[in-house]
Amino acid sequence: MKTTRRDFIKISSLGAGTIALGTPAIKFLAGADDSENKGKSGAVTRTPNYCEVCFWNCAGWVYKNEEGKIWKIIGNEDDPHSYGRFCPRGTGGVGMYYDEDRLKTPLMRVGEPGNQTYKEISWDEAFEHIAGKMKEIGGKYGNESIALFKHGSSGKHFGKLMSAFGSTNQAGPAYAQCKGPREEAFALTFGEPLHSPEPLDIRDTKCLVLIGSHLGENMHNGQVQEMSEAIDKGVTVITVDPRLSTAASKSKFWLPIKPATDTALLLAWINVIINEELYDKEYVDKLTIGLDKLKDHVQQYTPEWAYGITTIEPSQIRATAKAMADASPSVIVHPGRHATWYGDDTQRIRAIAILNALLGSYGRRGGFYLPTKAKLPGFPSEKNPNPAWSWRDIEPEKYPFASDGVTNLLVDGSHPDYKGKHSIKAWFVIGTNLPVSIPNTKRTVEAMDNQEFIVVIDTMPTEITGYADIVLPECTYLERYDDIRVSPHREPNIALRMPAAEPKYESKPAWWMAKELAKRLGLDAYFNFENYSEVLDWQLKQIGSSLEEMKKIGVKKFEREFDDLYFAPGEIPEFFTGSGKIELYSSELAAYGFDPMPVYKPLPEPEAGFYRLIYGRAPMHTFSRTANNPNLTDLMKENSVWINPKVAKEWDLKNDQKIWLKNQDGAISSFPIKVRVTERIRWDSVYMVHGFGHKDKRLSRAFGHGLMDTEMITNVLIDKESGGTGMRSNFVTFLTEKPEKEVQS
Amino acid sequence: MRYAMAIDTLKCVGCSDCVVACQTENNVPHGYARDWITETVDGVYPSLELEFRSERCNHCDNTPCVRTCPTGASHIIEGGIVKVTPGKCIGCGACIQSCPYDARFSSPEGWVDKCTFCDHRIANGQDPACVEVCPTHCMYFGDLDDKNSNVSKVIANRKWKVLAPEAGTDPQIFYLI
C-alpha cells in the first residue's frame, strides 16, 4: 500500500523563530490603526469578519450603529462562501455577542471532581494553575497524556500550544462525528479528500442528486445559493430521503427510501448505469481502474433486487439513473457532509464516489471543480517536538484509514476500561460541547470522570463546562482576531476576521490564552508576537497584501495560477491513489482486508413499537451551540418530534402534545418533546432537529427546551475504515406519562 | 410609483433569514417579528406538496387597517407603503383586528408595529433588508409602475397568487408558484 496520498495532504510545519518579548497589558482591538473601528459617534461603521456560527465561515461586515454598538452583520459581496448574503445563523450572529448568559470570568471548581460549584478566579490564577497541572501530569505520564478536543478557528490556537507542548493527541468532532468517512471514501477513490467547502459546481450542474444532504435545512450557504441559481436554470434535482425534506419538495424526483438502505439504491444505480452503458465511456476508460471487476460485482444488485430493500420502484431507479446519465458530466451525486450514519459509511460514500466517477463528473463543469487556494506562509515559529506517541497508538489496529484525529479514540484512551499503554489523563476542550457532539454521552462522561484535570474553553456555559476543573471564557468571533481564512475554492481567496468591539466581560481571545499559557510553560518561542494582528500582517505581506488593506476590503481574491478549474479535454491526469487512477476497485481497501467495492449489508431494524430515530438540521441553528442565542431562539426555540399521522393515530398522539422518548437500550430522555404530526415523515421513522434539550440551567433560554437526540443515541456503529461513529441505528418508542428516571442506559 | 414584492415559492427554503435580518436591521425587540415563515403541506405520504412562504404586511391598495385607525396613525406614504406613526398610535388594536394577514402587533412600547418595506433603505436606493439577505434570491422588490423593474418582469412572466384574495384588500405581495 502506498501512503503517499495521505502524506501529500499533510501540511508541513515551519521554520525557527526569534526571542519573545515581555507581555504588557494589551487592548485586543489595538492594532496599527484601528481608529476606524471605534464606532465614531454619529456614524455607522463596519469591520470585516468571517462567521464562526458554523464551519462555512462566510465573510461579511459587522456594522456598528451611531452609538458605536454592534448592530448587524451583512455578507461581503466578494466572498465566494456567502456571495454577499449570510444565512439566518450568520445574520443572527450578533446574538452570540449580546447573549447575557455568556461565560464572563475564568472559573475554578470548588471541592471534589463532580461537584459543579465554581468560584471566579483571575486570569493569572487560572494560567498558573493550568500550567502547574500540565507540568505535573506531563511529568508523571508524559506530555502526550494531555489531549485536546477542538473545533473551529479558536481550536487552532490551542492546537498550536499542544503541539508545542508535545502532544498531538488532538481531535475534533468534525472528523469522526461528521465528515471523516466521506473524506476517506473520496481519498480512496480520487486520491484526495473533498475538504470544505466541497468543490461542487452546483451553479452549472444539470442534475443534482441529494442522498444524505438536505440543502436548505443545512444552510451550507454557497451551496444553497447555487442550488437556487440552478433551479432558475432548470436543474433536475433528485432527492433520496425518508422524509420530505425542503430539498425533496423542490425535486423533480423524490425517492422516499426506507432508511438505512441507501447503499442498496446506490449499487442498483451503478448496476443500471453500467449494464445499460450509460456511463461516460471515454472518461471511465482513460481515468479509472476496475470497471470489469465492478461490473461483475454489481450484477447481483438489480433494481428489482433493490426494490425489496429500499421500497423504491425499479422504474424509478431506472428513470433517475437515466436522468443522471442524460446530464453527464454536468451531474453531481452530492457527497453529503455529516456522513457518520450506519457504521458502513466509508463504503456507502465510496458508492457515491464511484457513481460520480462513472458519470464522469469529477473534474468537469457542472460536476466537481478542481479547487485551489491561496498560499499563505505560516508565521515563523520554533519547530514542534516529536511526541513519543499519538492518538493512533491508543488502538493501533483500529481505523487504518483515519487521516485525522478520532475523538472516540481519545475517549477510549481516557476511559477506565482502557487496557492499552497509551492512557489519556487530562483534557483540553475548546469550542465543542462533547457530551452532545459525541454519541453515547454516558461513555464520554465516564471518560471525563477518569481524568485528572479538565480545562474547557468556550463562550457559553454549555454542558461540557460543567465537567471542567477550570473554565476559561473565550470572547466571540466579533471581538477577536483569528487566522486568515484560507479556503479551497474556484479562485484562491482569503478573508480577515478582526474585532469589531472589545471583548465583553473578562472574556479573551483563544490566541491570547494559548500565548499566556505558553509563557508559563517556557514555550514563548512558539508564540513570538504581542498581538495576533502582527502575525496576520506579516503573513499578508508575504503574499502582497497587508492587514491595512484587508481591513478595508475584508476578502481578497487572487488569480488561479493555472487554467485548470476542470480537466482539459483529452487530459489524463494522475490521481494520488495507489494506481494513479480513479479507483472503482480499491486495492488499498483490499490490502487492509476491507471490501474493495461496496457491498450491501442489511442493518438493524426496529422492533415492533419502535421507530428509527433520524436527526437533522434546522436552517437557523448550528449543532448544539446556538440554542441560547437570543436572535436564533426567536426563530426556533425547541425541536419537535415528527411523527407520521398513521403512527400518531395508533398511539393517539396529538400535535404539540409533550411526550418522552425511550430507546432500544432503555435510555429515557431527560426532557419531553412536542409532537409534530406530519405527512413529511415515513411511518417507520421519527425525525428531530439536533441540538436542543440542554441540561445546563445557566443557558437560560435553552434549558429544558426540546429533547437532546444524543441521549437517544446509545447504539453507536463504528465505521471500521475511518473510526466514524454511526448514529442512525437507534430506535425510539413513545412515553406519554412522565417516566420514573431509574432506567438510564 | 407602486412598490410591491414578489416571492418565489419554488426557491424559498423557509430558512427565516428574512425574519432575523428584519429584526436586526429594524431593531425589532426579541420575541416580536415584522415578517415570518408559513409552511403548508398538502397530500398523503409520499404524494406531497410543500410550500414555504415569507409573509409580512401586504401593503394593500385597499387598506382596512388605515380605514379603522381612529387617530390617523396608520397611513399610506408614497409608493403605497402602509406605515404607522408611533406618536399618534394609541395602541387600541383596531388595525390588528382588521388585518386579514395578522401582519401587525403591539410593540412593548404600546404602539402598533409592522413591516415598512424598509422605506429608510429604499430612500437610499437599497432593497428591503429581507430581500437583500435572502440566500436563495427568492424575493424581488420594486415599482410595479415601472414595467422594467424586476418585480414587474417576474409577475408578467410567471404564475402567481396572492393571499386571502377574498378579503378584497388588493394585496401587493405576490407569490410565484
Side-chain angles (χ1 to χ4, degrees), chain A residues 133-149 161-171 384-394 409-410 413-414 418 421-428 451:
Chain A
K133 278 286 188 185
M134 287 174 79
K135 287 178 195 163
E136 177 200 322
I137 293 166
K140 270 196 285 184
Y141 311 107
N143 289 3
E144 297 85 351
S145 69
I146 304 180
L148 171 67
F149 294 83
L161 174 70
M162 295 309 296
S163 296
F165 185 66
S167 175
T168 49
N169 277 310
Q170 305 179 15
N384 288 327
N386 282 325
W389 58 276
S390 190
W391 54 270
R392 207 182 280 282
D393 301 308
I394 291 170
L409 268 182
L410 294 182
S414 305
Y418 177 63
K421 286 186 237 157
H422 301 296
S423 285
I424 302 288
K425 298 292 184 184
W427 288 15
F428 277 70
Q451 297 304 294

Side-chain angles (χ1 to χ4, degrees), chain A residues 8 11 30 105 149 169 171 186 192 199 313 318 322 385-386 467 477 500 595 612 629 639 653 681 707 709 732 736:
Chain A
F8 178 82
I11 296 157
T105 64
F149 294 83
N169 277 310
F186 269 74
E192 281 180 271
E313 289 184 16
R318 290 199 169 85
K322 178 84 171 26
N386 282 325
Y467 297 93
Y477 66 104
D595 294 325
R612 187 180 296 272
N629 177 316
N639 56 359
L653 298 174
I681 184 74
L707 191 149
D709 54 344
V732 295
T736 52

Side-chain angles (χ1 to χ4, degrees), chain A residues 254-390:
Chain A
W254 170 39
L255 308 184
I257 194 167
K258 180 179 170 183
T261 67
D262 306 64
T263 305
L265 175 64
L266 289 161
L267 290 166
W269 272 338
I270 293 172
N271 171 297
V272 174
I273 284 169
I274 293 179
N275 283 351
E276 297 187 17
E277 301 197 356
L278 297 171
Y279 59 95
D280 185 330
K281 291 199 187 57
E282 190 187 346
Y283 184 96
V284 170
D285 279 354
K286 291 188 174 151
L287 272 55
T288 74
I289 188 165
L291 178 67
D292 292 342
K293 285 180 180 149
L294 181 65
K295 184 172 181 177
D296 286 348
H297 174 65
V298 296
Q299 287 313 305
Q300 56 189 312
Y301 302 127
T302 63
E304 285 69 22
W305 165 84
Y307 178 37
I309 292 166
T310 63
T311 72
I312 306 299
E313 289 184 16
S315 61
Q316 285 286 82
I317 297 176
R318 290 199 169 85
T320 43
K322 178 84 171 26
M324 292 179 220
D326 286 347
S328 164
S330 297
V331 50
I332 299 166
V333 185
H334 197 294
R337 184 156 179 130
H338 172 70
T340 48
W341 293 1
Y342 301 124
D344 63 354
D345 303 304
T346 296
Q347 294 288 348
R348 176 171 46 86
I349 309 289
R350 268 270 295 158
I352 289 177
I354 289 168
L355 201 50
N356 279 300
L358 293 172
L359 295 162
S361 67
Y362 191 90
R364 310 286 281 281
R365 188 182 194 86
F368 292 65
Y369 65 77
L370 304 170
T372 180
K373 62 182 187 180
K375 294 186 177 65
L376 190 72
F379 191 68
S381 169
E382 199 75 22
K383 193 174 184 303
N384 288 327
N386 282 325
W389 58 276
S390 190

Side-chain angles (χ1 to χ4, degrees), chain A residues 49-54 56-63 70-76 82 84-98 219 221 225 477-478 619-622 626 629-635, chain B residues 15-28 30 35 121 128-136:
Chain A
N49 210 307
Y50 59 87
C51 188
E52 191 74 18
V53 187
C54 95
W56 210 256
N57 295 140
C58 294
W61 299 101
V62 182
Y63 281 78
I70 289 178
W71 169 30
K72 63 179 180 181
I73 310 173
I74 304 290
N76 185 319
S82 72
R85 292 176 179 232
F86 268 24
C87 85
R89 300 163 303 161
T91 308
V94 290
M96 267 179 86
Y97 171 75
Y98 284 112
M219 291 301 289
N221 193 347
Q225 295 196 39
Y477 66 104
L478 303 179
M620 59 291 278
H621 284 287
T622 302
T626 54
N629 177 316
N631 294 71
L632 301 180
T633 49
D634 241 21
L635 305 178
Chain B
C15 72
S16 304
D17 205 2
C18 45
V19 181
V20 65
C22 170
Q23 288 170 323
T24 55
E25 172 70 27
N26 295 300
N27 299 306
V28 179
H30 290 308
D35 55 352
R121 291 174 57 91
C130 55
V131 176
E132 185 191 70
V133 80
C134 176
T136 67

